[in-house]
Amino acid sequence: MIISAMMADQPPPLEATPLLNEVSLLPHMVNGDSTQQPLYLQVILVQVNPGETFTIRTEDGQIQCIQGPAHVPMVSPNGSVPPIFVPPGYMSQVVEENGVRKVLVLPHSADYHQAMHPQLSHIAHYIHHHPALLPHPAHPVYSPVPGTGEMPQFMHQPPPHPPHIYQEQEPRSHGRSSFIQREERAMKVPDPVRKRLKDRQITGHNNNKLNSPPSSPHKAQLAANAHIQNGYSKGQHLPGGPIKLKQAAKSRGSPPADNEAGDGETEPKKLQDFNVSVTKPAVSALEARSACLSWGVGMGTANQESPASLLPGPLVYEVAVSNGGKNGNFKQVYTGEAASCSLTDLRPATDYHVRVSATCPPLEGSICELVSFTTQSCEPDTPAAPRLTNRSRTWLNLQWKAASDNGSKINGFLLEWDEGKQGPFKECYSGYFKQYKLTKLTPSTKYAFRLAAKNDMGMSGFSETVVFYTSGSVPPTPLPPRLVQSGITWLSLEWSPPNDNSSDETLTYCLEMEEEGSGYGFKPKHNGEELTCTLKNLRRNTSYKFRVFAFNSEGRSNPSNVVQYATSPDRPGPPCKLSVKGKIHAHNVKVTWDAPKDNGGAEVSKYFLEISETSNGNRWDVIYSGSSKEHVCDHLKPGTVYRLRLYCANAVGSSQVSDILTVQTAVVPPGPCHPPRLAGKARPRDLSLQWAYPPSDGGTSVTSYTVEMAKSDQEDRGPVYQGPELECTVSNLLPGQTYSFWIKAANKAGCGPFSEKSEFCTAPGPPERCKMPLLSCKSANCILANWEAPMCNGSEITEYRLEWGRMEGCMQIVYTGSCPSYEIKGLTAATTYYCRVQAVNTAGAGLFGDTAVVTTPASVPAAVTSLHVLDGDLLETPLPSPSECLAIAWKEPCCNGSDITGYNIEYGEKQQLTVDCVTSCILENLIPDRAYRIRIQAINSLGAGPFSQSIKAKTKPPPPNPPHLECVVFSPQSLKLKWGDGSSKALATETSQFNLQMEDKLSRFFTIYNGPCHTYKVQRLNESTTYNFRIQAYNDAGEGPFSDVYSFATTKSPPSALKAPKVQQIEDNLCEVTWETLPPMRGDSIVYILQLTNGRETDQVYKGPETSFSFANFQTNCEYRFRVCAGRQFQDATGLQEVYGPYSPSTTFSSQRQELILQCANATTEATKTKRKPLTDEQFAILLLVIFAVVAFLFAVVIQYFVIK
């Protein structure tokens, strides 16, 4: 048995246990009598272990036994620990841990160990005392207090709330039966959970109880909340947050995790498998707009351990609230691990349903519990401010609306006012009406009002204060506005209220402004109660006129006097067009500028010119200040870059600086350079020189250098190089000669003096370049070349090399030797040749001389090549007669120095034709279908050249004549034409083709057929219309002439076939035959022919325009067949003509007596229905197509499986 004690200023709230269902509340606790409540209490928690019995004596002297396991909270009125009587074999021991004193009742024997029990997580608001445990004057009595677990440390709760308890009775069994029920719930725990509980109980008996720390506080919370319902209220909850408990360390005597994991049993995957339940939430601190909610979680097992030791993670609670019933929409208001929360922003006198759900994140599923409560009624909401419905000079009529009554009917309103004195508010009306009229008021006076509503619960807060005025007179004329401050684009004005204004009503002012010179008059710029106004976006340095009006509820006053104020001028803009005037000198420069485009509304008084050297960075110095618009900047450095800028000033201030003007002063020529020196070794033809930058560059960089050279002191020297580089190569020198060099530098200012002289000598080299050789033609095939020996440059010439060729860039050496001449033979006449000579000595080969050009004499042209016959189809212009003409072409031969003037063409039996200088020709007037031998020769001024090789060419046969055209078949919409001999032998042997043309409405012929056939059917023609045709034959020889025009006419269209006629028997020997009517065809009348067939005899019984015929005198019991056809009558040149269409299907008529006709009518009708109709052409074609598709599919299947595979 463990007894825990804790001190508190007020009795801490404890949770209810089954023991409290048998006792009632303390009278002074329920009635809120604070005089009987001790100021210093101590809570004693008695923990009864299983197998033990706790005995207490009640007020009437009876003994009450409480069997374990149980937790009995008790209250000590004077704070002392009661005497504990222990049975034999036990001893008591007081232990203090973390400020909590515990009295342990332990057996003397160490074989009996008791398990620790969970701590108390949180306690309910109200302490429920047993009436038999009230304190007595003589000795202290400790009353049992419901709850379980150990008391938390330093627990301070506010005084208990006034008792407003909602009853909810729930019958429940107590005592030993409760323990039995817990054992029964423990039997329902799954096997894995029961085994873990059993192992922990055994472990607890095998270890020392004093050395084992208490269980997890979360388990104590679940165990304590398992009995939160006490039957006296719907729920109770701490007004503050959840109580924090000290976490207990894990027991050292607990079995290792390997033993638990080695059982081989599957852990529960759902939260419901742990038999965890949420106790019904307790509602406490219930007010009109707030409430506190608390709950707990219990285990359905006999083990006293907390569910936190069995669950894989902490429980997460979700609280949802609904004011629409259990089936209404729930709104989530809380989520967390604490077992309590505060509900705020509730509506007074409203039914709420609260649902508490618990989940364990590693597990699936959730457990929930529902509780309902009703908030308290309270005073009404603050009403809206009253409004003015009417007024006069001496009365005001006010009206208002009722606010929400919050569960209690509003029984009156309170209207207060300040009596127009702007002092404290006083009551002017109290009643249940919603309007009130105040009379005997002062005109033009301000009155303030506020309103409050009241019901049985109290009075609401006052509404917003509203101000109303009684009627009066318009305000007097105000004073004119005054200028407070002026700016460039704004003016700040102020004015005063009218001096003789007797009304307390707030005035509204209207400020009007007129711009000078605008012509628009005064316009309002401000309207309000303020006495100041700042007008913006005005024009600078401009005068404006102002006046002000005063307004009240009665109207507008007269305007004030007009005043005039002006805006301030602005700073000027930067000066423009800063430029140089005149020539820039080395030591001075003259600059000029223009006035700024914008002077800011005031005259510019002074200009400031600043200068800065590039080397000084951003340093600017003022070199001029004055009113002039030009200035001479002197004392400048030559060749230096200066930056100039300008700004101006007026009475307001200075402007921005202008654009920067960059000026560079004139430079002076550079100083003398050092003498040039030789770069590398001397060569025979050139010398490489180099030099250094001059010591003085004259204020700017050197732009070029000039090198002069002289062969001796007596000769004039001349420039050999001019450029910016510090080295150069002097070429075209003579080997073994001495040369003198001078150098000078130049910049923008000019050239400096020459340097001192430097002398260098060239090395020996190859011979000089030979001159152009002299060429003389001995004949058309031989030329003699002569040349002169060049300078040897200090070494004798050993040989000459002569190059010869037809192209200047592609020559070959044809001679090498020491002789200065050579004869070239085997040349081509009228051909141009190129040659040049090169000299060689021991120092090397010299350069080739100039190239000489020579042309051999001209001669007769060469023979023509590539003579061939042209195909007529490839010519741009067709031949006039392919059977009598031949087109030939050739390539122009070599003219051998003389232009070709013409060609001689020889063909046939020495027939000759002379043509001009062309490369193609057409031979005309030839015999058709004959072979010719053709050759050609070219002619120039020197004579005719040789003939070319002969070619053979044959003329084409003549084109065919047009055949005879005739029409073999005439029809209303087509004509079948035939021409020539259409036999099969003729088509096989004949190569001619035909072009058949027809004339259109515009008398133009167009081709309707082109091919080798001898017949053609012209379709889509009009009936009884004449058409014109012509035909032409053509073959390889060409197109023949067109035939004469043939005219053929289409026939008249016969009428279409009629439907079968209808036969109707009228009498025994009389029947009527009728048929359909056809309209006239293009004005031609229609006639009908009716035929009668009786057996094999066919007779025409009627011909005429009628569509019915009466047939009589026929035999009885005979079968007759009638058919009809339509005919077309028309007049032509030969007379009246008739064209008949096809006959209609036959109609069978059986002559019977009248009385037998009706009997056979039905049989005849059914026989007609059963008669099978023949297939139409379209149906027959579709049937053939389906049969062909099926056969093709079968063939494809056979080929796929038997051939391919």
Side-chain angles (χ1 to χ4, degrees), residues 583-590 611 632-640 642 663-668:
K583 184 180 179 180
I584 300 177
H585 300 280
H587 298 281
N588 60 75
V589 61
K590 186 176 184 180
I611 191 171
V632 177
C633 303
D634 51 2
H635 303 290
L636 304 180
K637 300 178 182 178
T640 303
Y642 291 93
V663 178
Q664 184 178 8
T665 55
V667 297
V668 296

Side-chain angles (χ1 to χ4, degrees), residues 643-797:
R643 295 182 299 167
L644 301 174
R645 69 181 185 183
L646 184 70
Y647 66 92
C648 60
N650 60 5
V652 179
S654 301
S655 69
Q656 299 289 334
V657 295
S658 65
D659 296 336
I660 295 177
L661 174 65
T662 302
V663 178
Q664 184 178 8
T665 55
V667 297
V668 296
C673 298
H674 294 288
R677 57 184 182 274
L678 187 65
K681 296 182 179 179
R683 291 182 293 275
R685 295 288 181 179
D686 55 70
L687 293 173
S688 296
L689 305 178
Q690 64 181 7
W691 54 90
Y693 195 82
S696 175
D697 58 0
T700 183
S701 59
V702 176
T703 58
S704 64
Y705 297 91
T706 301
V707 179
E708 293 186 356
M709 181 189 70
K711 188 174 181 180
S712 61
D713 295 340
Q714 292 77 17
E715 294 182 359
D716 295 336
R717 60 187 185 184
V720 294
Y721 170 77
Q722 186 174 4
E725 303 297 333
L726 294 176
E727 60 182 4
C728 72
T729 300
V730 183
S731 305
N732 300 325
L733 303 180
L734 297 178
Q737 299 293 329
T738 300
Y739 294 91
S740 300
F741 296 94
W742 295 266
I743 186 173
K744 64 179 178 179
N747 58 11
K748 295 180 180 180
C751 297
F754 279 99
S755 64
E756 297 180 358
K757 180 178 65 173
S758 297
E759 293 183 352
F760 305 104
C761 183
T762 58
E768 290 290 334
R769 186 178 183 182
C770 295
K771 295 183 179 181
M772 181 184 301
L774 179 64
L775 302 178
S776 59
C777 295
K778 289 186 176 183
S779 65
N781 299 324
C782 180
I783 293 178
L784 178 63
N786 297 302
W787 59 87
E788 297 180 359
M791 294 181 60
C792 62
N793 289 330
S795 179
E796 294 294 333
I797 296 176

Side-chain angles (χ1 to χ4, degrees), residues 977-997:
L977 305 180
K978 181 181 178 181
W979 57 88
D981 187 6
S983 62
S984 60
K985 291 184 178 180
L987 291 175
T989 59
E990 194 176 55
T991 60
S992 298
Q993 294 188 1
F994 304 96
N995 182 18
L996 179 62
Q997 293 184 351

Side-chain angles (χ1 to χ4, degrees), residues 868-890:
H868 59 280
V869 179
L870 296 177
D871 191 358
D873 297 336
L874 302 179
L875 296 177
E876 295 182 359
T877 303
L879 296 175
S881 178
S883 59
E884 297 179 357
C885 299
L886 285 176
I888 60 175
W890 60 90

Side-chain angles (χ1 to χ4, degrees), residues 569-601:
D570 196 4
R571 295 188 304 171
C576 51
K577 295 185 180 180
L578 178 62
S579 59
V580 177
K581 184 177 181 180
K583 184 180 179 180
I584 300 177
H585 300 280
H587 298 281
N588 60 75
V589 61
K590 186 176 184 180
V591 294
T592 181
W593 58 86
D594 292 343
K597 296 180 180 180
D598 182 12
N599 59 3

